[in-house]
Amino acid sequence: MIASVTPTVTVTDRRPALNEGRQLWFDLIAVALVLGLVVAVGWAFVLPWMAQPSFGGALLERYSPLRDGASYLVEKTDAKGKPLSWTGQNIALLKSGRAMGGEVREAGRNSISAFYSDSQDPDPSSDTLVSYLKSTQIYELRTRDLGLDGVITDTVYVFLREPRGDFLASLYNPKAGGDTAFDPPAQTIVADPSPGKTWSSEGKFGASTYKWTGEVLDAGEYKTKLGQFSDCLRIETQLSTTTDGKTDDSLWYDWYCAGVGVVDTKIFNSEKFLTSRSTLISADGFPADLDSLPTPAANAPQTKEAPPAEKLSDWRLDRVARLGRSTSGLESTIPAVWVPTDPPAVLASGYDGDLVAFDANNPTGSILWRFHAGGPIFSPPGYDPVSSRIYFGSSDKRVYALDGNGIFLWSFPTGDSIASTPLAVGDVVVLGSEDRNIYGVDANTGQERWRVQTGAAVVSSAASYSGTVVIGSDDGVAYGLDAATGQEKWRLTTSDGIEAPVIEQGGTIFVTSRDSKIYALEPTTGNRIWTANVSTIPPVSPLRTAPLITEERVIVSDENGYLTAFDRKDGRYLWKSPKDTYIGTPVMVGDTIVVAGKGDKIYRIGPDGKEQGEWAVGVEASNGIVPYFSNGPTLGGGAAWLSDSTAIVRRLGPELTNAGPLPLSLTWVGQFSLAPFAGSPLSTTTLEYKDKAVTLDDVGNVYLIDPASGQGNLLGQTGDGKSVPHIDSVISGDTLLSPIGDTIYAVNLLDGKTLWKMKGDGVGFAPPVVSEGVVVWLTQPTDNNFQVGKGTLRAIDVKTGTLRWQAAVEKFNLSGGAAIRDGFVYISTPPSAFELSTGKVRWQMEGAPGLPSGGVSLSGNGDTLYVGMHKGDKSGGIVVALSTSDGEISWQSDLKENALSPKEPIWPSDGLLIVPLLSGDVMALDETTGAESWRYKPQAPRMGNITVAEGRVWFALENGQVIGLSAKSGKPVAQFSDLDLSLGGIGFAQRPALIGGKLIVTLGIALLGLTPPAP
């Protein structure tokens, strides 16, 4: 937690001075203000998980309405009106517990915590925070900015709305330097804005100080590109930041209009010259300004789809990604859909309302973008290849239009939920709503062109042919409509509701109804070509899914789970499957039918209806839950795509070659809040013990876990109830040795009882080391303020806890560590060798080229000691190779500006030294010369330390991903991307561990059991 700053929020009558805005952050904040909603880890896990209502008050809600899924499109121009960029904006209301437990990045979490602290209570208790957050809505403003050059920039803002008004806590923009927090959050508007009202707040802004002031200048009418608004406020806002005595200012004037938010922002410099302007050109429920829309996004280059494998049985069913932003349960709500954007994407969604686009070319599920609707999405998105636009409906009663980059274009409200896939026909988008209407919406502006009322909810999806659209209704009617006008051309009446999508294939319309019949129709007249009834072949079952249409057959899955095939030309019955295990619409790959089962299997079925084989998901689900399919596969990009009940997206297709890292398969998840764990975060490295895994939580509970299943039990407790620092324990025989504060504890792993404990004279950052029945521990007195000075090296008998010997270390640095080999103890701080049996110094290095940084490592044959160092007053690091016999330098490698991680050792691996850096990068040096071999830069900060084992370098990232590199080349060979979190601050030094063929990763909120690909 960052140091708390008492919130300073005052209401005055002073007017802010006019200054010039010069920093990129000011532009980012101004973008957020255009929306209007700006104006408008232990303890976090106990916060309530239910969504909180808005507490900003009626007046704030009037001029800055806050709605989950609210979306806007802003055009930014220069002073002469020339377009500079377009920014799509999207709001997600967050649940407090999940927000503070990892969904909000660390900077935002710390800012919120500081906001509810004061000088009397600088570290508020969980109960205090829960009390505050019950009247606070945490929300994210997610923006995607598209420049004229086609470059896209993402920024996420974290806000609070509470009884005093709205506050900006933090913003994350990788291109502008990552996270920056307001500490305390900056008040962007008061709860009761009215002419003459002013406000101000001040505190820290990253490495700077800030002052934010605002005033409501006047009220009145305002004309915009979206129309004339009669009830608006004009607000003046100034942000001043000071860094190293230099002050930067930004001033902007906003018009806030009732029911919308900010519709216009003008930014001025200190001479009162207009520098830029941001204008709202589309908002929920308002037709977009056609003349201001961005150029359509590009489609992916047309590539020939990969042919089926010589044998379809050679196809693989691989995990691609998981939808959720946490380890909590989530379920897919739509089939996974491949779309040919640039790059190609796979779209999927779960009950959280996020539409997520995964990179279809990346087998580990890299996220391209994420868009949040105000409710779950229950129908697959529609894609228009002409405009490269994506259209989808939501249970929030709106249909959304996004460009191929995931940037919001417009939304259109209906009277009820939308479970119909929108279809673009020319410049009209046709869809149905559960409000009983069929809508034709202008594809460019989102303005209603026509509507047709039916007798019941419309959940069917339309098909079109030569200007005629056909869509079904629960009133049992299929309507043939003119796409441009909505005029009815014909109708087909069935004896039950029509819920399945209508299909057009080869100039024929196919309609399936709950009356168990399939109708083949001529599209322009609606005349029947043939009718087929699956009910003539018992058991009777309604049809709710679209049929598969091939050149020769029509194949449909009924509600009872049977597949039935008819002749495409005349509807003649061909066959019915003997099993009732199928679900969803099948697809055709070559001459083989591929269909999902009701459980966790995908089946191959021949043209005659006989099963030819299957693919099974298996048991790689969290907490023993076996996933199941509720939707069928879809085709695209030479593969089939599926989503299952555990929100996992899967690819079924030929084995990918040269496509990057292989997915790490998730075998199990152990959530800290579920048995056998007791609800305290898990933040230390898991250890191997007799083919089992031993892990500790943050209060010292010791657990014994089966690495194959994740099942286990609470074994005991260590540390006398003290908070456990994130420093690795070690195991010697049946004894667990844990450094906790200034004491080392020994616990018997056979019964969980404490054997002994020894108090030292301070603490250490490096784990103890064990050899020949002796545990060696390096510490430093805490009153030394962790500076270079006196330390102590202790040798303790593992069985009894008695002190064998201790040695003073005069030039000790807390980040140093020790290693044992062939009867000698080697330390890095300073580089020295001691006899293990007596503690007698064998040698000690004099005149080291820098201060020791990180642990110590030995070569495979034990003749070389590797020590990382910091260059003293200069930035950067040095790696030194020393002879273990006399401490003489064999070579030293200057890493220039690259500082070593002070909490990690150097890892020898097959002729290379794997060196973790303070920046989070990982590099490799030649073991004999120190020359650089490779370097890898993670896309997100590393979480904890690295592990090098079996030729691979393993580490976790703060976004929940797990990476495996080839130790030889530094190239990614394996990756786990199921989670999308922000875990900064939860871990310190934990690292992945290979135990029993599983990679066990500690993420604080959970323990993951992953199956790595074969070496």
Side-chain angles (χ1 to χ4, degrees):
M1 184 181 299
I2 57 177
S4 62
V5 177
T6 303
T8 304
V9 180
T10 59
V11 179
T12 69
D13 293 323
R14 291 178 287 110
R15 293 286 301 275
L18 185 64
N19 291 295
E20 179 181 5
R22 293 190 291 270
Q23 292 187 345
L24 175 58
W25 287 125
F26 297 155
D27 288 338
L28 297 174
I29 294 165
V31 167
L33 288 174
V34 172
L35 175 63
L37 292 174
V38 235
V39 298
V41 167
W43 56 262
F45 298 105
V46 305
L47 297 176
W49 284 66
M50 60 287 219
Q52 305 295 344
S54 175
F55 282 86
L59 198 58
L60 179 57
E61 188 66 28
R62 178 180 181 177
Y63 292 105
S64 183
L66 183 60
R67 182 184 70 82
D68 194 32
S71 303
Y72 306 79
L73 180 63
V74 173
E75 180 188 37
K76 184 177 181 180
T77 59
D78 63 16
K80 296 182 179 180
K82 179 182 177 181
L84 298 174
S85 65
W86 293 265
T87 303
Q89 303 176 343
N90 182 223
I91 285 295
L93 305 186
L94 306 182
K95 298 174 182 179
S96 297
R98 291 179 181 175
M100 299 299 288
E103 289 188 356
V104 167
R105 296 178 63 84
E106 181 184 10
R109 298 197 307 266
N110 287 341
S111 177
I112 294 170
S113 176
F115 186 57
Y116 292 119
S117 65
D118 54 38
S119 57
Q120 285 74 40
D121 187 11
D123 190 9
S125 66
S126 298
D127 290 341
T128 300
L129 287 164
V130 168
S131 175
Y132 279 122
L133 291 174
K134 283 181 178 179
S135 60
T136 300
Q137 175 64 63
I138 303 173
Y139 62 96
E140 284 183 345
L141 165 58
R142 306 171 183 174
T143 70
R144 300 209 87 200
D145 184 85
L146 172 65
L148 287 178
D149 56 1
V151 174
I152 293 177
T153 303
D154 292 303
T155 308
V156 178
Y157 304 82
V158 177
F159 289 99
L160 308 175
R161 175 165 290 190
E162 52 109 81
R164 289 171 289 181
D166 276 16
F167 295 82
L168 174 58
S170 66
L171 58 161
Y172 173 64
N173 177 275
K175 293 184 179 180
D179 288 286
T180 302
F182 288 89
D183 178 21
Q187 183 162 27
T188 57
I189 197 169
V190 289
D192 55 344
S194 57
K197 198 76 171 183
T198 65
W199 60 93
S200 67
S201 57
E202 58 187 45
K204 295 180 180 178
F205 179 53
S208 308
T209 60
Y210 82 89
K211 184 173 183 179
W212 187 301
T213 61
E215 180 180 5
V216 182
L217 299 179
D218 47 50
E221 297 182 350
Y222 194 73
K223 186 176 181 180
T224 75
K225 291 186 175 183
L226 299 184
Q228 180 79 26
F229 293 91
S230 60
D231 183 8
C232 302
L233 299 175
R234 186 164 67 101
I235 294 180
E236 179 186 86
T237 303
Q238 180 180 344
L239 172 63
S240 297
T241 63
T242 301
T243 307
D244 297 330
K246 179 182 178 181
T247 298
D248 288 306
D249 303 308
S250 185
L251 179 80
W252 53 90
Y253 292 91
D254 303 293
W255 277 98
Y256 293 82
C257 295
V260 185
V262 175
V263 298
D264 193 14
T265 296
K266 297 178 181 178
I267 302 177
F268 295 84
N269 61 20
S270 58
E271 286 76 32
K272 295 188 178 181
F273 288 115
L274 179 69
T275 59
S276 63
R277 182 175 184 178
S278 294
T279 305
L280 195 63
I281 60 174
S282 181
D284 289 327
F286 290 87
D289 181 54
L290 180 60
D291 296 333
S292 303
L293 292 177
T295 303
N299 289 314
Q302 295 301 310
T303 56
K304 186 176 181 180
E305 290 200 0
E310 184 177 344
K311 293 182 179 179
L312 198 59
S313 58
D314 292 339
W315 277 26
R316 295 162 47 102
L317 181 61
D318 291 321
R319 162 197 290 266
V320 173
R322 186 176 184 275
L323 286 167
R325 299 181 70 192
S326 70
T327 58
S328 60
L330 187 68
E331 185 173 349
S332 301
T333 55
I334 64 173
V337 178
W338 182 89
V339 291
T341 53
D342 188 12
V346 178
L347 305 178
S349 187
Y351 276 97
D352 61 359
D354 279 4
L355 182 66
V356 184
F358 297 101
D359 187 342
N361 292 334
N362 187 325
T364 59
S366 174
I367 294 178
L368 297 173
W369 50 263
R370 182 189 293 273
F371 184 89
H372 184 72
I377 301 166
F378 290 115
S379 62
Y383 179 75
D384 179 17
V386 176
S387 63
S388 187
R389 287 178 179 165
I390 298 164
Y391 303 98
F392 68 95
S394 169
S395 57
D396 68 357
K397 307 178 184 180
R398 295 175 183 269
V399 59
Y400 295 86
L402 311 178
D403 81 348
N405 297 310
I407 294 175
F408 171 80
L409 296 176
W410 53 259
S411 72
F412 173 76
T414 70
D416 208 335
S417 299
I418 300 171
S420 169
T421 296
L423 174 70
V425 185
D427 62 352
V428 177
V429 177
V430 180
L431 67 138
S433 170
E434 293 187 31
D435 67 2
R436 302 188 172 200
N437 289 312
I438 303 166
Y439 292 90
V441 181
D442 189 291
N444 294 312
T445 66
Q447 186 171 20
E448 181 177 324
R449 295 265 287 266
W450 54 260
R451 77 169 70 182
V452 173
Q453 187 173 12
T454 75
V458 182
V459 298
S460 173
S461 302
S464 71
Y465 180 81
S466 189
T468 298
V469 292
V470 184
I471 188 170
S473 169
D474 270 353
D475 64 5
V477 177
Y479 296 84
L481 308 173
D482 183 278
T485 65
Q487 181 179 358
E488 184 175 317
K489 292 183 174 183
W490 55 262
R491 63 170 59 187
L492 167 74
T493 301
T494 73
S495 57
D496 208 337
I498 300 172
E499 297 179 354
V502 177
I503 302 296
E504 185 277 328
Q505 188 75 23
T508 300
I509 293 290
F510 297 90
V511 176
T512 55
S513 170
R514 290 203 313 255
D515 67 5
S516 300
K517 296 178 182 178
I518 302 176
Y519 302 84
L521 309 174
E522 198 285 322
T524 58
T525 65
N527 293 335
R528 297 192 193 187
I529 300 173
W530 53 259
T531 302
N533 192 342
V534 299
S535 296
T536 60
I537 312 296
V540 175
S541 181
L543 301 177
R544 286 190 169 91
T545 59
L548 164 65
I549 313 298
T550 72
E551 291 184 359
E552 299 178 350
R553 296 172 179 80
V554 176
I555 303 165
V556 66
S557 171
D558 64 35
E559 281 291 284
N560 287 332
Y562 291 95
L563 288 181
T564 306
F566 302 93
D567 187 278
R568 174 171 172 171
K569 292 182 179 180
D570 56 17
R572 177 172 48 90
Y573 168 78
L574 297 177
W575 51 259
K576 187 169 188 173
S577 65
K579 291 183 179 181
D580 60 351
T581 57
Y582 311 112
I583 193 168
T585 300
V587 296
M588 201 77 179
V589 181
D591 60 355
T592 302
I593 301 163
V594 177
V595 62
K598 294 178 181 178
D600 66 334
K601 294 181 180 179
I602 308 296
Y603 296 93
R604 301 189 298 275
I605 297 176
D608 56 0
K610 295 181 180 179
E611 282 190 9
Q612 297 179 341
E614 64 185 37
W615 297 272
V617 171
V619 294
E620 54 163 287
S622 61
N623 298 320
I625 299 173
V626 178
Y628 61 86
F629 294 107
S630 55
N631 296 299
T634 62
L635 292 176
W641 305 89
L642 301 104
S643 56
D644 66 26
S645 59
T646 56
I648 292 172
V649 176
R650 301 181 187 274
R651 177 188 183 274
L652 175 62
E655 183 176 358
L656 292 171
T657 57
N658 300 322
L662 295 174
L664 277 165
S665 175
L666 179 66
T667 305
W668 51 264
V669 175
Q671 297 189 47
F672 80 103
S673 57
L674 301 177
F677 304 115
S680 184
L682 307 164
S683 304
T684 58
T685 302
T686 300
L687 307 172
E688 184 170 7
Y689 171 66
K690 295 182 177 179
D691 297 325
K692 297 291 184 182
V694 173
T695 193
L696 280 71
D697 65 19
D698 280 5
V699 296
N701 290 315
V702 182
Y703 304 93
L704 191 63
I705 306 296
D706 181 353
S709 66
Q711 302 298 309
N713 61 281
L714 174 62
L715 189 64
Q717 189 178 51
T718 186
D720 296 331
K722 298 177 182 177
S723 177
V724 176
H726 305 161
I727 298 172
D728 288 356
S729 300
V730 295
I731 292 176
S732 175
D734 295 320
T735 303
L736 173 71
L737 300 157
S738 303
I740 300 174
D742 61 358
T743 304
I744 190 166
Y745 292 82
V747 172
N748 188 341
L749 292 175
L750 298 176
D751 57 16
K753 295 181 178 179
T754 299
L755 296 171
W756 53 262
K757 55 187 176 182
M758 172 176 281
K759 187 174 182 179
D761 62 353
V763 298
F765 278 175
V769 290
V770 179
S771 180
E772 299 179 20
V774 176
V775 55
V776 174
W777 186 32
L778 267 170
T779 62
Q780 183 186 55
T782 54
D783 59 6
N784 195 50
N785 296 319
F786 304 146
Q787 301 297 316
V788 175
K790 182 180 180 180
T792 303
L793 179 67
R794 286 180 176 79
I796 306 166
D797 188 279
V798 171
K799 290 185 177 180
T800 65
T802 56
L803 183 65
R804 293 273 191 93
W805 54 261
Q806 68 180 35
V809 181
E810 295 299 331
K811 297 180 181 179
F812 180 81
N813 185 20
L814 191 61
S815 65
I820 300 176
R821 178 70 178 263
D822 298 332
F824 288 93
V825 180
Y826 301 95
I827 68 171
S828 60
T829 175
S832 309
F834 298 81
E835 292 181 359
L836 178 60
S837 59
T838 65
K840 182 180 179 181
V841 176
R842 183 184 188 189
W843 57 260
Q844 181 169 320
M845 183 181 184
E846 298 293 340
L851 297 174
S853 181
V856 63
S857 300
L858 293 163
S859 61
N861 59 13
D863 65 0
T864 305
L865 180 72
Y866 303 107
V867 177
M869 295 186 177
H870 184 71
K871 296 179 184 178
D873 294 337
K874 299 180 180 180
S875 62
I878 302 170
V879 174
V880 180
L882 307 171
S883 168
T884 54
S885 62
D886 55 17
E888 292 295 320
I889 295 179
S890 302
W891 55 259
Q892 66 183 50
S893 178
D894 188 344
L895 305 185
K896 302 186 185 303
E897 73 280 0
N898 301 306
L900 286 86
S901 173
K903 58 187 180 181
E904 302 182 72
I906 296 166
W907 295 75
S909 176
D910 194 21
L912 294 175
L913 299 177
I914 312 302
V915 183
L917 302 177
L918 182 62
S919 64
D921 294 4
V922 182
M923 67 186 304
L925 306 178
D926 185 279
E927 191 172 5
T928 58
T929 66
E932 181 174 337
S933 177
W934 56 258
R935 178 168 175 169
Y936 178 82
K937 183 177 183 63
Q939 294 181 345
R942 269 199 293 121
M943 180 181 180
N945 295 350
I946 70 170
T947 290
V948 181
E950 298 180 0
R952 291 172 177 171
V953 183
W954 300 103
F955 52 88
L957 304 180
E958 288 184 359
N959 60 12
Q961 293 187 6
V962 181
I963 308 293
L965 308 178
S966 164
K968 184 176 182 180
S969 67
K971 295 181 178 180
V973 294
Q975 185 170 338
F976 172 75
S977 305
D978 282 11
L979 303 179
D980 182 15
L981 299 170
S982 180
L983 300 173
I986 292 177
F988 174 68
Q990 75 266 32
R991 53 188 178 83
L994 276 173
I995 301 175
K998 303 297 179 185
L999 184 71
I1000 301 179
V1001 183
T1002 307
L1003 293 182
I1005 60 175
L1007 205 63
L1008 305 183
L1010 305 171
T1011 300

